[in-house]
């Protein structure tokens, strides 16, 4: 069906080694009082699985630093999966641009997980940043792959805002 098509499209567009059955999306958000939270949302076979979502209160970062905050939540997430022999995604999607991406790549390398594909999707643009490619990938607006990535990103935003409201 459509889901299969969008997953194969995504694999093709981002040159992923495997079909992205499981995609994990990350976002960091700040709110009054300077508290920062990071979230991880999980999509399986193109659909959100809220029972697997996680939220993280940023602990190690002073002030507003999205790069280091993103690095912290990725490290906490994947250290834990390593400790628990958990299920790893075929694609990690982070909200941001090249800066966030390079921090994410460093974290994965330091954990020995450099083989998990990671991509960053910039807020307003339809641009996808991937490691080892100078130019971002520009996907057509009607691309199934782009729509799936946007759904993951929108869901991470939504969950981050909900996490903030709960925390307040």
């Amino acid at each position: 069906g459509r889901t299969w098509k969008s997953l194969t499209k995504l694999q093709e567009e981002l040159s992923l080694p495997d079909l992205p059955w499981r995609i994990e999306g990350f976002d960091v958000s700040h709110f009054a009082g300077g508290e920062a939270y990071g979230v991880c949302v999980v999509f399986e076979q193109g659909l959100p699985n809220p029972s697997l979502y996680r939220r993280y209160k940023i602990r190690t970062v002073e002030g507003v630093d999205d790069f280091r905050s993103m690095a912290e939540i990725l490290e906490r997430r994947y250290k834990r999966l390593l400790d628990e022999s958990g299920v790893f995604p075929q694609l990690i999607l982070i909200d941001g641009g090249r800066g966030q991406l390079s921090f994410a790549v460093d974290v994965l390398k330091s954990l020995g997980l450099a083989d998990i594909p990671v991509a960053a999707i910039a807020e307003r643009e339809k641009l996808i940043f991937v490691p080892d490619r100078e130019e971002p990938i520009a996907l057509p607006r009607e691309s199934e792959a782009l729509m799936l990535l946007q759904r993951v990103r929108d869901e991470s935003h939504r969950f981050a805002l909900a996490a903030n409201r709960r925390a307040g």
Side-chain angles (χ1 to χ4, degrees):
R2 224 186 90 202
T3 306
W4 175 258
K5 197 171 142 219
S6 55
L7 293 177
T8 47
K9 230 25 218 162
L10 186 54
Q11 181 179 7
E12 223 168 87
E13 301 277 13
L14 300 191
S15 313
L16 302 174
D18 301 296
L19 199 67
W21 284 117
R22 184 180 181 127
I23 301 171
E24 299 196 345
F26 291 85
D27 189 24
V28 173
S29 71
H30 307 271
F31 68 124
E35 298 270 78
Y37 283 84
V39 296
C40 170
V41 300
V42 181
F43 275 59
E44 292 178 317
Q45 301 183 28
L47 297 170
N49 183 345
S51 68
L52 298 176
Y53 291 7
R54 294 287 173 270
R55 59 189 283 254
Y56 303 89
K57 188 166 190 283
I58 304 297
R59 297 185 192 138
T60 61
V61 180
E62 288 297 312
V64 174
D65 184 337
D66 283 349
F67 298 127
R68 287 194 171 71
S69 300
M70 184 63 81
E72 180 189 318
I73 57 176
L74 286 165
E75 183 164 10
R76 283 164 63 187
R77 169 72 175 167
Y78 294 114
K79 237 188 182 122
R80 182 153 189 186
L81 281 187
L82 283 167
D83 290 345
E84 296 175 353
S85 313
V87 180
F88 288 89
Q90 287 78 44
L91 177 62
I92 294 168
L93 182 69
I94 57 177
D95 185 53
R98 190 160 310 286
Q100 273 93 340
L101 184 65
S102 67
F103 272 79
V105 168
D106 289 347
V107 168
L108 294 169
K109 277 193 181 129
S110 74
L111 294 172
L113 298 173
D115 54 341
I116 300 181
V118 56
I121 182 169
E123 182 65 68
R124 273 164 287 287
E125 318 199 42
K126 311 287 179 264
L127 298 177
I128 315 298
F129 293 91
V130 293
D132 310 324
R133 256 185 82 149
E134 208 35 62
E135 291 301 304
I137 299 170
L139 296 174
R141 190 182 296 278
E142 63 287 346
S143 150
E144 300 258 358
L146 179 65
M147 287 182 210
L148 177 55
L149 292 175
Q150 286 173 328
R151 278 202 301 278
V152 175
R153 191 205 47 209
D154 292 347
E155 183 65 4
S156 71
H157 279 340
R158 190 195 63 72
F159 186 59
L161 289 170
N164 275 351
R165 276 199 296 276
R166 273 207 306 282

